[in-house]
Amino acid sequence: MEFIIQFVQDQPWFGVAAAVVLASSIAALTPTPKEGTFLAKAYKIIDLLALNIGKAKEKAAAKEAAKKKK
């Protein structure tokens, strides 16, 4: 157990990886807020941290559009 704790503390990239995982979890669990609100701006930052860009963002938009049609 001490080896794992020491390994995590010695790796500078571990904090970045943990932030990406946390942001990805938040983005996956929360609905996209309406445009023009403060939450929408904060959500864009979370999406960027979660690496939801490019095709990953397109899939999320398509899923959202499919929900609105129902």
Side-chain angles (χ1 to χ4, degrees), residues 9 11-12 14 21 28 32 35 39 43 46-47 50 61 67 70:
Q9 290 176 347
Q11 305 303 319
F14 188 79
V21 170
T32 305
E35 287 292 322
L39 288 176
Y43 193 80
I46 291 172
D47 262 350
K67 281 185 179 179
K70 288 183 179 181

Side-chain angles (χ1 to χ4, degrees), residues 1-13:
M1 186 66 165
E2 289 179 31
F3 171 74
I4 294 171
I5 293 171
Q6 186 66 33
F7 176 77
V8 168
Q9 290 176 347
D10 290 342
Q11 305 303 319
W13 53 265

